[in-house]
Amino acid sequence: MLTKAAFTHGKGEPFQIDTLQVDDPKPGEVLVRIVAAGICHTDLIVRDQYYPVPLPAVLGHEGSGIVEKVGDGVTSVTPGDHVVLSFASCGHCKSCMTGRPYACQTFYELNFTGTMHDGTCRLHKEDGTDVANFFGQSSFSGYAVVSERNVVNVPKDVPLELLGPLGCGIQTGSGAVLNKLKPEIGSSMVIFGAGSVGLSALMASKVAHCGTIVTVDVQDSRLEFAKELGATHTINPKNVDNVVEEIHKITEGGADYSIETTSRPEVLRQAVDSLATLGTTVIIGAPALGTEVSLDVNTILFEKKVTGLLLGSSIPQIFIPQLIELYKQGKFPFDKLVKYYDLEDINQAAEDSETGVTIKPIVKIS
């Protein structure tokens, strides 16, 4: 089968649209007609080779679409089902077997090395040259072959083109709060960065009934938007002498929880230094491989925790339907974050994401 797709040839090069060959699904795999796909920060840092995914590749890992065909042994979906695509996991390592697929021991191999679980690709140029897969889905394409473990069945009474970002960015931010931190009612939360991940964490903090929710960002327009979504306080680092001191004032001694989404080492230091005793910082921002940060060990000694996070510590087949239900109830209005683009405008969408013009671009594909 032939499909239109946006792919990247070399480091930092813009996406190019061309026609590719898509294989049929193998046993345990699903062919999905992609309706739309969100653009995530991770797509852009892979395009720029912060993570060395083989090129050429079709990126995209926030796809939503309709099941077209299933391979042998697939039981969770049937043709015609509406689905969201999330990350790949093996299903048989210790982490997967204990209900933590986000910590799959082969997560990197399955999502970032350019092939499917069997070491081969499902996308090819018309001359037969392989095009690398990404995140087990490569959803910047009209059709995608994915593992059954990537697929999340979703209800048909919600716009399908809206749902793709639940597969990564929105799942990650909200899961940091609802799955990882599980904050006590009335606790204080500080979120560094008001992009789609940070604002998803903000909305989840409101769902969790946090008492004080502080958002830190350098764009005043995003801080105003954060207030609309439920932030009780906002801080623009350009307008204060010391962000950490300001947070300690607001929270009367330090935050119970902080979330770092910006990928900047100096901001991670602020997130940790902003904590109260017994506080926890979650790291979400993904900088280039090898990035290091300096922390004061004596700060950590005061019963403080720093932890990483992958994909919201979630089981997508459980958590994504929960987020959709919160959205339907009006408690998680993630639709306010998005702006739609046609596939032909994917480079404009990427630029708007990087410059902050658009919080969450979604590329409509079919």
Side-chain angles (χ1 to χ4, degrees), residues 146-208:
V146 303
S147 166
E148 182 179 16
R149 291 185 60 80
N150 288 64
V151 176
V152 180
N153 219 320
V154 296
K156 295 183 178 180
D157 60 349
V158 181
L160 184 55
E161 66 272 15
L162 172 64
L163 301 182
L166 294 175
C168 183
I170 291 174
Q171 171 178 232
T172 298
S174 57
V177 176
L178 299 176
N179 296 330
K180 190 74 168 183
L181 293 176
K182 301 178 181 178
E184 300 83 0
I185 293 174
S187 56
S188 54
M189 179 76 66
V190 181
I191 300 161
F192 290 83
S196 61
V197 174
L199 293 174
S200 297
L202 163 58
M203 291 186 289
S205 298
K206 187 176 180 182
V207 168

Side-chain angles (χ1 to χ4, degrees), residues 255-256 272 275-281 297-306:
D256 297 312
V272 175
L275 293 175
T277 301
L278 297 175
T280 301
T281 293
V297 173
N298 288 287
T299 299
I300 307 300
L301 282 175
F302 278 80
E303 293 286 346
K304 298 174 184 179
K305 300 176 184 176
V306 181

Side-chain angles (χ1 to χ4, degrees), residues 11-202:
K11 180 179 179 180
E13 292 185 7
F15 295 104
Q16 298 182 28
I17 298 173
D18 207 341
T19 299
L20 300 179
Q21 178 72 40
V22 184
D23 293 341
D24 282 335
K26 294 184 177 182
E29 296 180 347
V30 180
L31 176 67
V32 178
R33 177 171 64 82
I34 302 296
V35 170
I39 293 181
C40 178
H41 172 71
T42 307
D43 293 310
L44 303 182
I45 64 174
V46 169
R47 177 200 62 186
D48 298 338
Q49 291 288 278
Y50 285 23
Y51 289 179
V53 173
L55 301 178
V58 173
L59 304 180
H61 63 289
E62 293 184 343
S64 61
I66 300 172
V67 174
E68 189 88 359
K69 184 186 297 186
V70 300
D72 291 343
V74 172
T75 59
S76 63
V77 293
T78 59
D81 284 349
H82 286 197
V83 295
V84 165
L85 307 181
S86 195
F87 59 89
S89 58
C90 73
H92 52 74
C93 70
K94 181 178 179 180
S95 297
C96 288
M97 292 291 285
T98 54
R100 293 172 289 184
Y102 49 87
C104 175
Q105 293 173 20
T106 55
F107 185 94
Y108 190 88
E109 290 83 353
L110 291 174
N111 291 281
F112 290 99
T113 57
T115 62
M116 298 291 281
H117 60 94
D118 63 355
T120 65
C121 300
R122 301 293 179 269
L123 294 169
H124 318 276
K125 294 184 179 181
E126 291 189 89
D127 64 4
T129 304
D130 286 344
V131 176
N133 290 88
F134 182 55
F135 248 71
Q137 57 172 282
S138 291
S139 52
F140 291 159
S141 174
Y143 287 87
V145 175
V146 303
S147 166
E148 182 179 16
R149 291 185 60 80
N150 288 64
V151 176
V152 180
N153 219 320
V154 296
K156 295 183 178 180
D157 60 349
V158 181
L160 184 55
E161 66 272 15
L162 172 64
L163 301 182
L166 294 175
C168 183
I170 291 174
Q171 171 178 232
T172 298
S174 57
V177 176
L178 299 176
N179 296 330
K180 190 74 168 183
L181 293 176
K182 301 178 181 178
E184 300 83 0
I185 293 174
S187 56
S188 54
M189 179 76 66
V190 181
I191 300 161
F192 290 83
S196 61
V197 174
L199 293 174
S200 297
L202 163 58

Side-chain angles (χ1 to χ4, degrees), residues 124-333:
H124 318 276
K125 294 184 179 181
E126 291 189 89
D127 64 4
T129 304
D130 286 344
V131 176
N133 290 88
F134 182 55
F135 248 71
Q137 57 172 282
S138 291
S139 52
F140 291 159
S141 174
Y143 287 87
V145 175
V146 303
S147 166
E148 182 179 16
R149 291 185 60 80
N150 288 64
V151 176
V152 180
N153 219 320
V154 296
K156 295 183 178 180
D157 60 349
V158 181
L160 184 55
E161 66 272 15
L162 172 64
L163 301 182
L166 294 175
C168 183
I170 291 174
Q171 171 178 232
T172 298
S174 57
V177 176
L178 299 176
N179 296 330
K180 190 74 168 183
L181 293 176
K182 301 178 181 178
E184 300 83 0
I185 293 174
S187 56
S188 54
M189 179 76 66
V190 181
I191 300 161
F192 290 83
S196 61
V197 174
L199 293 174
S200 297
L202 163 58
M203 291 186 289
S205 298
K206 187 176 180 182
V207 168
H209 302 291
C210 290
T212 301
I213 307 172
V214 185
T215 300
V216 183
D217 199 276
V218 295
Q219 292 191 34
D220 287 331
S221 60
R222 292 206 171 185
L223 294 176
E224 286 301 314
F225 187 42
K227 290 179 182 178
E228 294 178 23
L229 293 175
T232 60
H233 301 77
T234 60
I235 299 172
N236 187 329
K238 296 178 180 178
N239 299 333
V240 298
D241 293 330
N242 189 302
V243 171
V244 173
E245 289 181 1
E246 193 70 19
I247 291 170
H248 277 261
K249 289 177 185 177
I250 292 170
T251 57
E252 299 181 356
D256 297 312
Y257 306 100
S258 65
I259 297 175
E260 200 296 301
T261 74
T262 71
S263 307
R264 299 177 66 90
E266 69 274 21
V267 177
L268 174 56
R269 175 64 185 264
Q270 292 176 342
V272 175
D273 290 347
S274 298
L275 293 175
T277 301
L278 297 175
T280 301
T281 293
V282 171
I283 305 170
I284 297 178
L289 294 177
T291 300
E292 297 182 355
V293 64
S294 175
L295 298 175
D296 186 336
V297 173
N298 288 287
T299 299
I300 307 300
L301 282 175
F302 278 80
E303 293 286 346
K304 298 174 184 179
K305 300 176 184 176
V306 181
T307 181
L309 180 92
L310 286 173
L311 280 301
S313 294
S314 74
I315 301 172
Q317 290 78 7
I318 296 174
F319 189 52
I320 288 175
Q322 291 173 340
L323 293 178
I324 292 172
E325 183 58 33
L326 287 171
Y327 165 73
K328 290 167 68 175
Q329 294 177 14
K331 297 177 182 178
F332 191 75

